[in-house]
């Protein structure tokens, strides 16, 4: 959308038609994508490669990593 405005072209040129943007194909793709990711995570869990373990960090350690994450988000790559 941004590039279409910069170049003065319609979004349809880039394969993003405004009319019908949230039509049948969009929702079908959302459903297929959700099923695909769910199946992948399910298979990984079935073979023992995935688990919802407990939180490893506690207290001030968790707060410290939160601050590091937020500062890297706001400051960007160095």
């Amino acid at each position: 959308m941004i590039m279409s405005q910069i170049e003065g072209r319609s979004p349809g040129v880039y394969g993003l038609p405004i009319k019908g943007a949230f039509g049948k194909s969009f929702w079908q793709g959302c459903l297929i994508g959700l099923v695909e990711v769910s199946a992948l995570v399910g298979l990984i869990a079935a073979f023992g490669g995935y688990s919802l373990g407990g939180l490893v960090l506690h207290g001030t350690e968790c707060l410290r990593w939160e601050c590091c994450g937020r500062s890297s988000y706001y400051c960007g790559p160095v």
Side-chain angles (χ1 to χ4, degrees):
M1 297 296 290
I2 295 171
M3 284 305 296
S4 67
Q5 291 177 351
I6 291 171
E7 294 182 351
R9 298 181 182 185
S10 71
V13 172
Y14 300 99
L16 303 168
I18 297 296
K19 186 187 296 184
F22 294 104
K24 180 183 175 185
S25 295
F26 174 80
W27 294 111
Q28 187 178 25
C30 286
L31 179 64
I32 290 171
L34 182 64
V35 168
E36 181 181 4
V37 170
S38 298
L40 179 64
V41 171
L43 285 170
I44 291 172
F47 288 101
Y50 181 79
S51 68
L52 296 173
L55 184 64
V56 177
L57 302 176
H58 298 284
T60 58
E61 186 74 13
C62 189
L63 182 62
R64 184 174 73 92
W65 281 106
E66 174 68 20
C67 291
C68 288
R70 288 189 185 266
S71 65
S72 67
Y73 174 77
Y74 292 125
C75 297
V78 177

